[in-house]
């Protein structure tokens, strides 16, 4: 396979709120680049990138799909991501390995809640972006209002580089503010394009918006500032170079417009990807840690450097088994060679390398720096782990995985299905780090936990159809957490003597709440003068983390606790790793009981879009559900209500809001934070748990 120069590669993702038109835009990209010979449509279930049965049935994207295509002289590795908040992990891990992103906004909805979420995710990874305001053919679309919302809600320095020509159903073309030309689309497929002069009646608005673009650009580029202040005519090449520099530095976001469904404007988005988004050598080198020295090292994008890659996704293929998606940051890898998993410190053999086109595979002999590909043959690699050469160990910073907020009990329909269910759950857990499987010792239940009802619904559907396992599931439950409220000192002592060699482990820990919510459990060793031998300290830590899986109030996992090992003792003969593991567990449980334990519940960030006449009823209903109203706003002839609301109060809210508003309102929500459960509700949860584990084992 011919090597692609690094400066000709673009690793990009398409990210947006649900139903903004990501997959439709992706399908047009594949069509115009010649990757597909016909247009796939989401509503017909024929979209290439939505290849799962569940995606085709529901008309939504569930899993991030990767493909490659070529536009002019640029090689594009494209990832189409889901918009639904239940599948936010797909966006998270895609952004981790991408160099740039196209953020799609709905021309009618503007900046919606999930738009803000994906924007923050891109901010966290420092991903350069261009914006595409889609659906300009829809009634009520407003290009400039969408840009205004980007400034207010996202705090970004965005400016139009295009203007729509024609409004709503009369949307016919796009005005290029850089070259001051009208691009007119003559046919339905958008392939016949005519370049015209801008009509005289549109010139005043063109000059006004071009001035805004230059002013915003001048804020981040000294050369443009100087030329603009002196009234000089800025050449197109200089303007494009300034935009590119601003985008790569994350200081400027050019905004384009169009209608992907009506085949208008996507070629211009591809031109913007080529002109403004970075190649692998334009972005700062990724940082890694040397596992031996603990020091930071930069991984420079070079084919001559030692091989280093990050596994950002694991998928199960019915024919070849597991497929491991990787982004290669340096060096080259060939099929049939051995690589080193630096996270697990194990050798792995690559039997096959493939380039993915949604669910189709194209076998290649090797992949080099800057590429996104998939490996076959690895055994123990998981999402977020670093792959490198055996003589050049390095660890890339791990990804951040969200905590599940909802759980359900699941059990096989028959004894024969028990083993198959276990294998299916294990495979799904490997694929999706936001999906967790736990076993509750007290109730004897297997619990599956995820990001929302739709997330678990898709998981259960895949278990039934993809893995052919008959299973029964319980009603969805809120994934509560437990934590402590004060600092305590606790002792754990495990002594056992039953003939022969005994067991002795003794440790003293200090426990306190974490300063930053969401930190989880941390363990710190402050043992001095060998009170506990070094070889037993990992066992104490293991005991602490094991005990944290089940709290003392209602058996929910414990979070946001700092544990410091301060003292202990050992026996020359009887001490063992098992004894100290038990001591760590006992100390943690004792400390939790003394430290004023409380229950925490997930709070959702909700936005309801409702006609004016129903607003009072909706606000009243939300208030009765312990919601805290954050803001009220106007959007065309609708009102938007932003609120924080406990997840426990909004199960099946879609049915409730439909009946309240004659089916005219809609809502979106996403997990925001955990907070303490009010005392009277916590008492019911704890009492219900104490009464009987069997009552929680109700299946439908």
């Amino acid at each position: 396979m011919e090597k692609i120069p690094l400066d000709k590669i673009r690793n990009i993702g398409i990210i947006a709120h649900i139903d903004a038109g990501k997959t439709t835009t992706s399908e047009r990209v594949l069509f115009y680049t010649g990757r597909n010979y016909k247009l796939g449509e989401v509503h017909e279930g024929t979209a290439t990138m939505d290849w799962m049965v569940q995606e085709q049935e529901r008309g939504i994207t569930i899993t991030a799909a990767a493909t490659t295509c070529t536009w002019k002289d640029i090689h594009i590795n494209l990832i189409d991501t889901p918009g639904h908040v239940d599948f936010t992990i797909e966006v998270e891990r895609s952004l981790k390995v991408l160099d740039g992103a196209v953020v799609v906004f709905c021309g009618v909805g503007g900046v919606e809640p999930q738009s803000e979420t994906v924007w923050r995710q891109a901010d966290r990874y420092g991903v350069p972006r261009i914006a595409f305001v889609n659906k300009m053919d829809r009634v009520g679309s407003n290009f400039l209002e969408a840009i205004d919302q980007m400034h207010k809600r996202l705090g970004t320095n965005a400016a139009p580089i295009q203007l729509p020509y024609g409004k709503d159903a009369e949307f016919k073309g796009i005005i290029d503010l850089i070259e001051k030309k009208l691009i007119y689309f003559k046919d339905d497929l958008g392939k016949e394009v005519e370049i015209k002069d801008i009509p005289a009646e549109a010139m005043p608005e063109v000059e006004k918006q071009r001035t805004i673009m230059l002013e915003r650009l001048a804020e981040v580029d000294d050369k443009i500032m100087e030329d603009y202040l002196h009234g000089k005519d800025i050449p197109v090449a200089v303007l494009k170079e300034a935009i590119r520099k601003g985008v790569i530095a994350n200081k400027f976001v050019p905004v384009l417009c169009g209608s992907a469904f009506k085949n208008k404007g996507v070629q211009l988005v591809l031109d913007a990807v080529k002109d403004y988004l970075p190649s692998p050598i334009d972005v700062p080198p990724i940082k890694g840690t040397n596992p031996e020295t603990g020091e930071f090292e930069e991984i420079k994008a070079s084919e001559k450097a030692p091989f280093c890659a990050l596994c950002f996704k694991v998928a199960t293929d019915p024919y070849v088994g597991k497929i491991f998606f990787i982004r290669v940051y340096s060096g080259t890898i060939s099929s049939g060679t051995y690589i080193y998993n630096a996270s697990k410190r194990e050798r792995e053999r690559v039997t096959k390398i493939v380039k993915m086109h949604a669910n189709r595979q194209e076998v290649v002999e090797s992949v080099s720096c800057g590429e996104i590909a998939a490996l076959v043959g690895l055994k123990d690699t998981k999402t977020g782990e670093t792959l490198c050469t055996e003589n050049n160990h390095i660890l890339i910073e791990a990804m951040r995985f969200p905590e599940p907020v909802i759980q359900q009990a699941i059990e096989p329909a028959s004894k024969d299905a028990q083993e198959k269910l276990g294998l299916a759950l294990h495979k799904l857990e490997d694929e999706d780090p936001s999906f967790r499987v736990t076993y509750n010792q007290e109730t004897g239940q297997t619990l599956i936990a995820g990001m929302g009802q739709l997330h678990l619904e898709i998981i259960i559907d895949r278990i039934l159809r993809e893995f052919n396992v008959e299973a029964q599931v319980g009603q969805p439950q809120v994934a509560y957490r437990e934590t402590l409220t004060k600092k305590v000192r606790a002792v754990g002592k495990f002594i056992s003597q039953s003939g022969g060699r005994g067991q002795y482990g003794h440790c003293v820990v200090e426990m306190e709440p974490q300063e930053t919510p969401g930190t989880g459990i941390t363990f710190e060793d402050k043992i001095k003068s060998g009170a506990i031998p070094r070889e037993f300290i990992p066992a104490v830590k293991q005991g602490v983390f094991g005990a944290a899986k089940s709290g003392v109030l209602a058996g929910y996992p414990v979070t946001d606790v700092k544990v410091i090992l301060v003292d202990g003792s050992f026996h020359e003969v009887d001490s063992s790793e098992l004894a100290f593991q038990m001591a760590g567990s006992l100390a943690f449980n004792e400390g939790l009981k003394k430290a004023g334990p409380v229950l925490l519940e997930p709070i959702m960030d909700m936005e309801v879009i409702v006609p004016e006449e129903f607003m009072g009823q909706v606000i009243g209903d939300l208030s009765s559900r312990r919601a805290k109203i954050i803001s009220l706003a106007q959007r065309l002839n609708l009102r938007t209500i932003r609120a924080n609301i406990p997840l426990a109060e909004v199960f099946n809210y879609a049915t409730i809001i439909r009946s309240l508003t004659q089916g005219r309102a809609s809502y979106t929500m996403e997990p925001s934070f955990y907070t303490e459960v009010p005392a009277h509700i916590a008492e019911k949860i704890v009492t219900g748990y104490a009464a009987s584990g069997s009552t929680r084992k109700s299946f439908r």
Side-chain angles (χ1 to χ4, degrees), residues 58-102:
R58 290 168 173 81
I60 60 168
T61 303
I62 292 168
T63 184
T67 189
T68 60
C69 54
T70 304
W71 178 251
K72 297 180 178 175
D73 61 339
I74 296 296
H75 179 82
I76 299 172
N77 293 311
L78 174 72
I79 297 181
D80 174 36
T81 64
H84 201 288
V85 66
D86 284 20
F87 311 106
T88 190
I89 182 63
E90 296 288 337
V91 184
E92 187 84 22
R93 57 183 171 190
S94 299
L95 286 172
K96 172 75 175 175
V97 298
L98 293 170
D99 300 326
V102 177

Side-chain angles (χ1 to χ4, degrees), residues 416-425 467-470:
D416 294 341
Q418 191 153 358
E419 190 177 341
K420 284 173 72 179
L421 176 64
L423 286 169
L425 291 174
F467 295 96
N468 297 314
V469 180
E470 287 294 324

Side-chain angles (χ1 to χ4, degrees), residues 52 78 115 125 135 142 146 209 226 234 236 251 256 270 311 316 337 381 420 423 485 583 588 610 688:
M52 288 174 68
L78 174 72
S115 310
Y125 293 114
K135 303 190 179 183
N142 192 324
Q209 295 304 326
E226 188 181 332
I234 304 168
V236 169
K251 292 179 178 177
L256 300 89
L270 284 164
C311 174
T316 304
T337 58
T381 298
K420 284 173 72 179
L423 286 169
T485 54
F588 186 85
V610 59

Side-chain angles (χ1 to χ4, degrees), residues 12-16 21-27 30 42 47-51 55 60-67 77-83 90-91 94 98 102 104 313 358:
I12 66 163
I14 296 186
I15 60 176
K22 294 176 304 304
T23 303
T24 303
T25 304
S26 298
E27 292 300 317
L30 297 179
V42 174
T48 303
M49 304 301 269
D50 284 352
W51 57 270
E55 292 177 316
I60 60 168
T61 303
I62 292 168
T63 184
T67 189
N77 293 311
L78 174 72
I79 297 181
D80 174 36
T81 64
E90 296 288 337
V91 184
S94 299
L98 293 170
V102 177
V104 182
K313 178 174 176 170

Side-chain angles (χ1 to χ4, degrees), residues 18 58 60 84 86-87 452-459:
I18 189 168
R58 290 168 173 81
I60 60 168
H84 201 288
D86 284 20
F87 311 106
Q453 284 177 275
L454 180 62
H455 187 194
L456 293 185
E457 187 185 311
I458 298 294
I459 291 283

